[in-house]
Amino acid sequence: MFPTMPLSSLPTLSSSQLQQMIMLATGKYGLDHRLLVEHVGRNLTELAQLLTPEGPILIVAGRGNNGSGGLAAARLLAGQGRRVWVVPIHEAGNYSGTPREQLDHLRHYPTVRIKSGLPKMKFSCVIDAAIGTGLEGPPRGRTQDVITVLNRLHDGCCVISVDLPTGVTVDDGSVPGDAVQATLTLSVGLPKRGISTGNKVGRLFLGDIGIPPALMVDMNLEVPKLPGFLVELI
């Protein structure tokens, strides 16, 4: 269904390199942050539609870059007729910038339901866009509650984590507390350091977000030659 390539053939990013990549992309190379978010949303939509073509979808979204991508996917999936439940992990009033914009867009889609708590129902697919690379210490409070509930949904449910399963650290793949058990994980731009297939990550995919090759050169990274917008890493 998807082209494959070895994970070992690709450069990986630390948390600091990821921030550098975003700063270069939106600064020196002038890419609108919204455009990068749209690419992430498109890749998530493609995965969800191909792997779970029917049934309701749950998207748990934080207020960072991964949350923006998850919210963009909610809009795109709703535009294709899917029923989507969205649960922000913070109060809606605490969202700003691109995540706030994406959240506001959803009010125009009648098949989207925004909930303050996780619905007690079955979903065919869950998109975990809660924390991603922004984890600092063991998950607590609402984030821990989200992990607990998502890990109970695996019976017949595909769980897609954005960049990293919530609860997994970006630089070494350690799990300081509890973590989401993903069916598959979608790496954004490049895979993150310290993660590999299996364990909490599940199947590992890479989604192209249109990073200019010259930016990779600026970061002293080998320019990857991807065989498609979505690639499974093995």
Side-chain angles (χ1 to χ4, degrees), residues 119-136:
K120 294 181 179 179
M121 58 180 287
K122 289 187 176 181
F123 295 93
S124 62
C125 179
V126 172
I127 294 178
D128 161 33
I131 299 295
T133 60
L135 180 69
E136 295 179 357

Side-chain angles (χ1 to χ4, degrees), residues 90-207:
H90 305 281
E91 295 294 329
N94 291 329
Y95 285 65
S96 61
T98 304
R100 179 76 233 184
E101 292 173 0
Q102 293 291 341
L103 197 55
D104 287 344
H105 291 329
L106 296 178
R107 71 180 187 275
H108 302 297
Y109 294 82
T111 60
V112 174
R113 299 287 183 269
I114 300 176
K115 300 292 185 180
S116 59
L118 290 159
K120 294 181 179 179
M121 58 180 287
K122 289 187 176 181
F123 295 93
S124 62
C125 179
V126 172
I127 294 178
D128 161 33
I131 299 295
T133 60
L135 180 69
E136 295 179 357
R140 300 178 297 275
R142 188 167 172 78
T143 303
Q144 177 59 58
D145 293 342
V146 164
I147 292 171
T148 300
V149 173
L150 293 192
N151 284 342
R152 293 174 181 165
L153 295 177
H154 266 279
D155 185 16
C157 177
C158 176
V159 178
I160 302 174
S161 288
V162 184
D163 243 351
L164 293 163
T166 293
V168 176
T169 56
V170 61
D171 287 325
D172 60 8
S174 63
V175 181
D178 201 1
V180 168
Q181 176 61 62
T183 308
L184 59 99
T185 298
L186 174 67
S187 294
V188 176
L190 282 173
K192 305 309 173 289
R193 186 169 298 169
I195 68 167
S196 59
T197 58
N199 299 320
K200 296 292 185 182
V201 171
R203 296 168 67 187
L204 184 60
F205 286 77
L206 177 62

Side-chain angles (χ1 to χ4, degrees), residues 1-23:
M1 185 181 296
F2 299 98
T4 63
M5 64 188 303
L7 172 60
S8 60
S9 68
L10 291 166
T12 59
L13 295 178
S14 66
S15 55
S16 61
Q17 286 176 311
L18 175 61
Q19 294 307 312
Q20 181 187 7
M21 176 176 282
I22 293 171
M23 289 178 64

